[in-house]
Amino acid sequence: SVVAPPIKLSITASHDGGNIQLVSQTEPIVSGRTAKCTVKLNIKPDVYTDFEKIAHMQYFSIRSFVSGLEDIKIFNVTYVIDNADKVSYPEAWPGTTICETSGSLEPSDDHLWKRNQSTKIVDGKLTWQHVHTTNGSTFFSYFPPYTYNRHLKLIADCASSIASKRDINYKIEALGQTLQGREIECIVVGNGDKIAWVIHRQHPGETMAEFFAEGLLHRILGIGKDGDLDDITKKVLDQYRIYIVPCMCPDGAVLGHLRTNNVGANLNREWATVNPEYIAPSMERSPEVYAVLKKMDETGCDFFLDVHGDEELPYVFLSGAEKTPLWEESERLKYLHGYFVSCYQRVNSDIQKAIGYPPPDSTEDALKYMNVATNQVSNRFKCLGLTLEMPYKDCETNSDPSVGWSPERSKQLGSSLVETLDSMHPYLRAKGEFWTEFSDGDHYVEPTDNFKEDGFIMLTKRFYSDVRPHDA
């Protein structure tokens, strides 16, 4: 074996939303027409969050660039994330397969993302191997990035579609700006009597949430179809006025953060003050939530959906305002929750009821989390509020190990929301015991996070994707 100086491997994270630190890499060792090396990496942490007393980290996105492959035909690289045991959810690594593509980060290449089946966790380190056979770049990510340039393209496409409709009630608003000066855009569509709010990507590393937003917006505005709308979409736009925020945390998204904005605010803990020493939301720390909640107070809300991704559970699931005061006040919210999940499941089989975040044990426990968007909005407006979670892993309900949960499936799930909104419309503000019309299969099912999977380690009971119990 000899060292082959011509072969070069460059590791960067300078692309939009990139996150990685190079620790070390061995010189390529050549044997015949093959070569090999090992690259050691660290995930960079988010800015420290005062409320949760942690510097979150888990999301990563890497560009690996190979040059000098001429006589050498196979370059086998072992990638090792050294600090994988220090991330926010180390228990979530078993069953994870990282995403890779030799394509670009443009929408036209979404279908090229695949899962690396060699991914494994060994002695607290996340490792995978990749065989490079051509010069050029390969991206490796916890989940495919949704770049800020793509976000701006989505906003431009929405603006173009809205302009073509010539309806003064369809518009794009800038609700405010982030601390780094990026707009907090809200797309407003529909002329109905019910107000729906759908927000995405409070946690910037949960990129599947903005893919969901793209799928939803493309359908309700006819983007890519010359503005043509299907009959169900037309009906929903006559039933609702819908406010859609495709990216709540653009600063964190650009920085490659997992859960916080550029000053360490976890936006899904900024919707109310639950600790008198930590006032939320605030223009100084969380202008994103401040602006959206201010607008929501102006418009009211009959339905709320907050779209996320979950590191641990290999399922799509919904979490509601269980055990909060409104939930305990009557059975209304519980039945609306169960019916929504059933309706969604009928149009998209990735949805299931059994697995998800277990609810708090009591109202007293739930009150500690009134700073979570779903809990705050549900109780503030006495409406159905839900958090939708998609997996970073493969989705067990429709397993596809080679691709796993993907941008395409995220977009399809967003598109499928339209039928569900149609089904929910008669009941969102219905009086009396309207749920007597529902079948037994439409009832609420209390979820559990305990399921069987090789290598799965059940977390100590946690709520709303907390890293540890709130009072630990």
Side-chain angles (χ1 to χ4, degrees), residues 184-204:
I184 306 162
E185 299 103 342
C186 180
I187 294 89
V188 186
V189 296
N191 291 290
D193 62 338
K194 297 293 186 292
I195 303 297
W197 276 83
V198 188
I199 68 170
H200 308 78
R201 209 174 173 185
Q202 288 205 79
H203 296 147

Tab-separated table of all heavy atoms in Angstrom, residues 184-204:
chain	number	residue	atom	x	y	z
A	184	ILE	N	-40.524	37.220	7.828
A	184	ILE	CA	-41.392	36.139	8.302
A	184	ILE	C	-42.637	36.185	7.422
A	184	ILE	O	-43.582	36.933	7.683
A	184	ILE	CB	-41.740	36.317	9.782
A	184	ILE	CG1	-40.472	36.462	10.622
A	184	ILE	CG2	-42.592	35.146	10.285
A	184	ILE	CD1	-40.705	37.054	11.991
A	185	GLU	N	-42.613	35.431	6.334
A	185	GLU	CA	-43.677	35.512	5.336
A	185	GLU	C	-44.872	34.658	5.720
A	185	GLU	O	-44.727	33.564	6.288
A	185	GLU	CB	-43.177	35.062	3.960
A	185	GLU	CG	-42.029	35.894	3.398
A	185	GLU	CD	-40.691	35.199	3.515
A	185	GLU	OE1	-40.584	34.255	4.323
A	185	GLU	OE2	-39.758	35.602	2.795
A	186	CYS	N	-46.042	35.155	5.371
A	186	CYS	CA	-47.295	34.432	5.590
A	186	CYS	C	-48.112	34.508	4.307
A	186	CYS	O	-48.382	35.602	3.800
A	186	CYS	CB	-48.063	35.040	6.757
A	186	CYS	SG	-49.640	34.233	7.120
A	187	ILE	N	-48.490	33.365	3.773
A	187	ILE	CA	-49.318	33.301	2.573
A	187	ILE	C	-50.771	33.162	3.017
A	187	ILE	O	-51.096	32.283	3.832
A	187	ILE	CB	-48.910	32.120	1.671
A	187	ILE	CG1	-47.499	32.347	1.101
A	187	ILE	CG2	-49.892	31.949	0.522
A	187	ILE	CD1	-46.388	31.818	1.945
A	188	VAL	N	-51.631	34.023	2.506
A	188	VAL	CA	-53.039	34.058	2.916
A	188	VAL	C	-53.910	33.731	1.706
A	188	VAL	O	-53.833	34.417	0.683
A	188	VAL	CB	-53.416	35.437	3.483
A	188	VAL	CG1	-54.841	35.416	4.043
A	188	VAL	CG2	-52.419	35.888	4.556
A	189	VAL	N	-54.730	32.701	1.830
A	189	VAL	CA	-55.584	32.273	0.720
A	189	VAL	C	-56.963	31.897	1.250
A	189	VAL	O	-57.133	31.558	2.419
A	189	VAL	CB	-54.985	31.067	-0.040
A	189	VAL	CG1	-53.663	31.436	-0.704
A	189	VAL	CG2	-54.794	29.883	0.901
A	190	GLY	N	-57.957	31.957	0.373
A	190	GLY	CA	-59.295	31.487	0.710
A	190	GLY	C	-60.241	32.601	1.122
A	190	GLY	O	-59.829	33.681	1.545
A	191	ASN	N	-61.531	32.310	0.996
A	191	ASN	CA	-62.578	33.288	1.304
A	191	ASN	C	-63.655	32.714	2.219
A	191	ASN	O	-64.786	33.187	2.230
A	191	ASN	CB	-63.234	33.767	-0.006
A	191	ASN	CG	-62.288	34.603	-0.844
A	191	ASN	OD1	-61.954	35.720	-0.489
A	191	ASN	ND2	-61.836	34.040	-1.960
A	192	GLY	N	-63.291	31.694	2.992
A	192	GLY	CA	-64.286	31.005	3.793
A	192	GLY	C	-64.543	31.623	5.151
A	192	GLY	O	-63.954	32.637	5.531
A	193	ASP	N	-65.429	30.967	5.900
A	193	ASP	CA	-65.839	31.487	7.200
A	193	ASP	C	-65.015	30.945	8.356
A	193	ASP	O	-65.162	31.379	9.489
A	193	ASP	CB	-67.321	31.160	7.451
A	193	ASP	CG	-67.602	29.663	7.505
A	193	ASP	OD1	-66.794	28.881	6.949
A	193	ASP	OD2	-68.617	29.267	8.115
A	194	LYS	N	-64.158	29.979	8.115
A	194	LYS	CA	-63.304	29.422	9.150
A	194	LYS	C	-61.858	29.872	8.930
A	194	LYS	O	-61.375	29.918	7.786
A	194	LYS	CB	-63.363	27.897	9.147
A	194	LYS	CG	-64.742	27.321	9.476
A	194	LYS	CD	-65.140	27.616	10.909
A	194	LYS	CE	-66.450	26.914	11.271
A	194	LYS	NZ	-67.614	27.473	10.553
A	195	ILE	N	-61.184	30.182	10.022
A	195	ILE	CA	-59.791	30.636	9.969
A	195	ILE	C	-58.879	29.475	10.348
A	195	ILE	O	-58.985	28.926	11.452
A	195	ILE	CB	-59.547	31.818	10.930
A	195	ILE	CG1	-60.484	32.981	10.609
A	195	ILE	CG2	-58.089	32.256	10.875
A	195	ILE	CD1	-60.285	33.584	9.251
A	196	ALA	N	-58.001	29.106	9.437
A	196	ALA	CA	-57.017	28.047	9.689
A	196	ALA	C	-55.615	28.629	9.626
A	196	ALA	O	-55.308	29.426	8.735
A	196	ALA	CB	-57.173	26.925	8.666
A	197	TRP	N	-54.786	28.236	10.577
A	197	TRP	CA	-53.373	28.607	10.584
A	197	TRP	C	-52.539	27.328	10.491
A	197	TRP	O	-52.776	26.372	11.240
A	197	TRP	CB	-53.005	29.353	11.860
A	197	TRP	CG	-53.293	30.819	11.826
A	197	TRP	CD1	-54.483	31.442	12.076
A	197	TRP	CD2	-52.344	31.861	11.537
A	197	TRP	NE1	-54.343	32.808	11.953
A	197	TRP	CE2	-53.042	33.101	11.629
A	197	TRP	CE3	-50.993	31.880	11.214
A	197	TRP	CZ2	-52.420	34.325	11.409
A	197	TRP	CZ3	-50.367	33.098	10.991
A	197	TRP	CH2	-51.078	34.300	11.084
A	198	VAL	N	-51.572	27.324	9.565
A	198	VAL	CA	-50.643	26.201	9.440
A	198	VAL	C	-49.232	26.775	9.429
A	198	VAL	O	-48.876	27.551	8.533
A	198	VAL	CB	-50.893	25.391	8.145
A	198	VAL	CG1	-50.030	24.127	8.147
A	198	VAL	CG2	-52.371	25.027	8.002
A	199	ILE	N	-48.450	26.429	10.452
A	199	ILE	CA	-47.077	26.936	10.543
A	199	ILE	C	-46.098	25.766	10.448
A	199	ILE	O	-46.437	24.625	10.755
A	199	ILE	CB	-46.845	27.744	11.838
A	199	ILE	CG1	-46.899	26.844	13.068
A	199	ILE	CG2	-47.851	28.887	11.950
A	199	ILE	CD1	-46.448	27.530	14.353
A	200	HIS	N	-44.898	26.061	10.001
A	200	HIS	CA	-43.919	25.017	9.709
A	200	HIS	C	-42.530	25.425	10.211
A	200	HIS	O	-42.191	26.604	10.241
A	200	HIS	CB	-43.814	24.789	8.195
A	200	HIS	CG	-45.111	24.551	7.506
A	200	HIS	ND1	-45.991	25.581	7.200
A	200	HIS	CD2	-45.699	23.407	7.061
A	200	HIS	CE1	-47.051	25.080	6.594
A	200	HIS	NE2	-46.897	23.770	6.494
A	201	ARG	N	-41.763	24.432	10.556
A	201	ARG	CA	-40.333	24.562	10.785
A	201	ARG	C	-39.992	25.555	11.907
A	201	ARG	O	-39.088	26.366	11.771
A	201	ARG	CB	-39.627	24.932	9.472
A	201	ARG	CG	-38.194	24.432	9.399
A	201	ARG	CD	-37.597	24.688	8.041
A	201	ARG	NE	-36.187	24.366	8.015
A	201	ARG	CZ	-35.371	24.577	6.992
A	201	ARG	NH1	-35.858	25.119	5.879
A	201	ARG	NH2	-34.089	24.275	7.054
A	202	GLN	N	-40.729	25.469	13.021
A	202	GLN	CA	-40.285	26.199	14.207
A	202	GLN	C	-38.893	25.739	14.600
A	202	GLN	O	-38.084	26.526	15.083
A	202	GLN	CB	-41.246	25.966	15.374
A	202	GLN	CG	-42.582	26.651	15.254
A	202	GLN	CD	-43.195	26.878	16.616
A	202	GLN	OE1	-42.815	27.804	17.327
A	202	GLN	NE2	-44.150	26.039	16.974
A	203	HIS	N	-38.642	24.444	14.424
A	203	HIS	CA	-37.313	23.879	14.663
A	203	HIS	C	-36.611	23.747	13.312
A	203	HIS	O	-37.017	22.939	12.473
A	203	HIS	CB	-37.432	22.525	15.354
A	203	HIS	CG	-38.039	22.602	16.721
A	203	HIS	ND1	-38.821	21.610	17.261
A	203	HIS	CD2	-37.973	23.592	17.654
A	203	HIS	CE1	-39.205	21.966	18.474
A	203	HIS	NE2	-38.707	23.167	18.739
A	204	PRO	N	-35.591	24.541	13.069
A	204	PRO	CA	-35.054	24.674	11.708
A	204	PRO	C	-34.451	23.411	11.126
A	204	PRO	O	-34.458	23.230	9.906
A	204	PRO	CB	-33.999	25.779	11.858
A	204	PRO	CG	-33.656	25.799	13.321
A	204	PRO	CD	-34.921	25.440	14.035
